[in-house]
Amino acid sequence: MATLCRLKLGSWMGQACRLHTSSSVSAKLHYKMLVLGGGSGGIAMSARMKRMLGAENVAVVEPSEMHYYQPIWTLVGAGAKSVNSSGRPTESVMPSGVKLVKSKVQEINPEMNVVRTDDGTEISYEYLIVALGLQLHFEKIKGLPEGFQHPKIGSNYSVQTVEKTWKALQEFKEGNALFTFPNTPIKCAGAPQKIMYLSDAYLRKTGKRSKANIKYYTSLPVIFGIKKYADSLWDIVTNRDLEVNLRQDLIEVRADKQEAVFANLDKPGETKVVEYEMLHVTPPMGPISVVKNSPLADEVGWLDLDKETLQHKKYPNVFGIGDCTNLPTSKTAAAVAAQSAVLHRTIKQVLKKEKPDKKYDGYTSCPLVTSYNTVILAEFDYNGQPLETFPIDQGKERRLMYHMKADVMPHLYWHGLLRGLWGGPGPYRKLMHLGMK
């Protein structure tokens, strides 16, 4: 990878020199603040940067026509929300006056402060915010993504496959219902089991639960990484007769035969084949290629940031937020909300030539949906310690938290976070301060 980066950097240098001989500007477009990515982190920060620097000084590079509130896909896959409710045109969520460059980022050259898009456009910047998210890798599971052409298989992690989850659940008759967690970092680490609990609730409601064997296959050695919430989840799976298989990784789907193949991570070479009537796949995930192949990446490929200030470790005019980063916390929208306030403060101080003093503590949140009307609201920090908002035991299932997840949070996302008006360590505390309990 190091050789590749040097080759890419050399290519960039050569191009920059050639451009310099014919023009004093090495790129066709220039912005004081360039934001890469129009997801939750990118839009939230572009709104904040507009207020800080003026709209004419900010641009966002994002090719997608639609912007999706992905946390709601858990409920879409269970039939509780519609997929249409999760999306809005990207242009409609952009801060007014901020330039939207409808292209895909092709290369990032932090040495020359230049980004190139897939249509050949070159954009130079003074400061850069990288908010490019991560990549789904269905193709790393043999038999996918082509297996989604068959019935009885879905995934809540893609807008193309989330409705297939609901269809598979509705058409369930009898047999095994399988839910998987891959052997990679993923966004929203609770989501693979949320759909399991919702499926259990649906099958009970429709009188099919006695004919179902619900099985959860996870690559992890635990059901959840934070002990307080893991203890509560173990009680739930025991009481509801849900089978949990630890250290099992889905490596193949034989969709024509309705078979899933799992590798035992503790016994290399050992596999087992499990038939299914329903299969929900959480795909392997990884760093996005343009970051992985740039000098901005760490040794694995994630954006290499100071975990407290969100400033790049090598390039002080580069910052990052969200799923593309190597911050050692769960990748969630709530984490983005917390990070946005810290990053805002960091950039403000860097612009003033001051040392950043606001520190991100790793706050993240995972509303663990356990039925169609209950949620365990997990909140925790870098150290895996609960960092809770409400004066109640958040390790218990609660109806209030379900309404927070299903009704309040989508509203705050569209009208708060994306406008740069909601966030902070942690964002639920700010919600309480606003009187919206």
Side-chain angles (χ1 to χ4, degrees):
M1 182 179 291
T3 302
L4 178 61
C5 289
R6 286 195 293 272
L7 287 171
K8 285 184 176 291
L9 184 57
S11 174
W12 269 106
M13 288 291 199
Q15 291 172 30
C17 290
R18 289 194 296 274
L19 286 166
H20 188 71
T21 60
S22 59
S23 169
S24 59
V25 180
S26 62
K28 295 178 181 179
L29 300 174
H30 177 82
Y31 292 92
K32 188 174 183 70
M33 181 65 68
L34 182 61
V35 181
L36 304 184
S40 55
I43 298 297
M45 290 311 302
S46 66
R48 289 175 176 269
M49 294 301 100
K50 172 188 172 179
R51 291 196 294 273
M52 184 185 294
L53 304 171
E56 70 280 3
N57 293 311
V58 182
V60 178
V61 182
E62 172 57 53
S64 303
E65 292 291 334
M66 293 292 291
H67 177 103
Y68 290 100
Y69 176 55
Q70 296 181 31
I72 209 70
W73 287 347
T74 286
L75 299 181
V76 174
K81 295 286 184 179
S82 71
V83 71
N84 290 337
S85 72
S86 71
R88 297 185 182 182
T90 300
E91 290 188 359
S92 73
V93 299
M94 282 289 298
S96 61
V98 170
K99 174 67 175 177
L100 173 60
V101 180
K102 288 186 177 181
S103 298
K104 184 178 180 181
V105 179
Q106 193 72 28
E107 290 186 83
I108 306 170
N109 179 10
E111 297 289 344
M112 301 299 294
N113 297 328
V114 173
V115 166
R116 185 195 299 162
T117 66
D118 58 354
D119 62 2
T121 301
E122 292 182 337
I123 311 171
S124 63
Y125 60 84
E126 290 185 46
Y127 299 93
L128 182 70
I129 297 175
V130 183
L132 287 168
L134 50 64
Q135 285 184 273
L136 305 182
H137 289 294
F138 284 110
E139 79 284 354
K140 291 190 176 182
I141 299 173
K142 186 178 179 181
L144 295 183
E146 61 271 19
F148 287 111
Q149 296 173 12
H150 293 262
K152 304 184 183 297
I153 174 175
S155 176
N156 291 350
Y157 276 88
S158 166
V159 70
Q160 287 82 24
T161 58
V162 63
E163 290 180 299
K164 289 183 65 63
T165 302
W166 173 227
K167 187 172 178 62
L169 182 55
Q170 287 177 294
E171 294 178 349
F172 184 94
K173 293 183 176 62
E174 62 178 325
N176 295 329
L178 311 182
F179 304 85
T180 72
F181 188 113
N183 192 26
T184 67
I186 65 169
K187 53 184 173 181
C188 194
Q193 58 184 294
K194 295 177 193 179
I195 186 59
M196 172 179 66
Y197 301 128
L198 286 163
S199 297
D200 170 71
Y202 178 80
L203 294 175
R204 290 178 187 278
K205 182 172 65 174
T206 55
K208 299 177 183 178
R209 182 62 181 90
S210 62
K211 298 180 180 180
N213 304 308
I214 298 180
K215 303 170 182 284
Y216 182 55
Y217 290 85
T218 174
S219 65
L220 302 177
V222 293
I223 193 170
F224 194 73
I226 312 305
K227 185 179 185 304
K228 174 177 180 175
Y229 309 116
D231 289 345
S232 297
L233 294 172
W234 276 118
D235 288 340
I236 291 171
V237 299
T238 300
N239 293 334
R240 298 181 192 174
D241 193 25
L242 309 176
E243 179 183 312
V244 176
N245 299 276
L246 304 176
R247 299 292 289 156
Q248 299 291 317
D249 186 31
L250 178 67
I251 60 172
E252 182 181 356
V253 175
R254 301 166 183 168
D256 57 334
K257 299 179 181 178
Q258 291 176 216
E259 293 178 344
V261 183
F262 295 92
N264 186 333
L265 296 177
D266 289 331
K267 297 180 180 179
E270 179 179 301
T271 63
K272 67 177 175 180
V273 179
V274 184
E275 294 182 348
Y276 65 82
E277 171 69 5
M278 173 187 177
L279 172 63
H280 177 269
V281 177
T282 301
M285 303 179 200
I288 196 158
S289 298
V290 69
V291 173
K292 187 174 183 178
N293 296 329
S294 79
L296 297 176
D298 65 9
E299 64 278 3
V300 180
W302 302 103
L303 187 70
D304 196 15
L305 299 183
D306 181 296
K307 72 175 188 176
E308 294 182 336
T309 66
L310 311 186
Q311 187 175 24
H312 196 273
K313 290 180 180 178
K314 181 178 179 182
Y315 301 97
N317 65 331
V318 176
F319 311 89
I321 187 170
D323 295 350
C324 67
T325 70
N326 65 353
L327 303 176
T329 192
S330 293
K331 300 176 185 294
T332 69
V336 168
Q339 292 164 20
S340 65
V342 175
L343 183 53
H344 179 106
R345 173 72 173 176
T346 291
I347 292 173
K348 185 176 181 180
Q349 291 182 297
V350 169
L351 289 173
K352 291 181 179 179
K353 311 299 182 185
E354 298 174 357
K355 184 178 180 180
D357 61 3
K358 196 175 183 71
K359 295 182 178 181
Y360 175 51
D361 58 8
Y363 172 89
T364 191
S365 172
C366 183
L368 293 155
V369 184
T370 55
S371 76
Y372 283 94
N373 57 19
T374 56
V375 160
I376 292 174
L377 181 59
E379 295 181 280
F380 48 96
D381 61 15
Y382 275 138
N383 297 317
Q385 295 301 308
L387 200 62
E388 298 180 343
T389 297
F390 298 89
I392 54 177
D393 183 359
Q394 291 183 204
K396 294 183 178 181
E397 299 175 274
R398 299 191 182 271
R399 288 177 179 267
L400 170 64
M401 299 310 176
Y402 179 86
H403 292 300
M404 285 274 293
K405 161 73 176 176
D407 305 316
V408 177
M409 299 313 298
H411 179 82
L412 285 175
Y413 181 84
W414 296 115
H415 302 287
L417 178 60
L418 295 189
R419 296 181 182 181
L421 301 174
W422 179 65
Y428 290 103
R429 274 175 250 154
K430 185 169 182 179
L431 175 62
M432 289 187 69
H433 295 158
L434 292 172
M436 299 175 65
K437 299 182 182 179

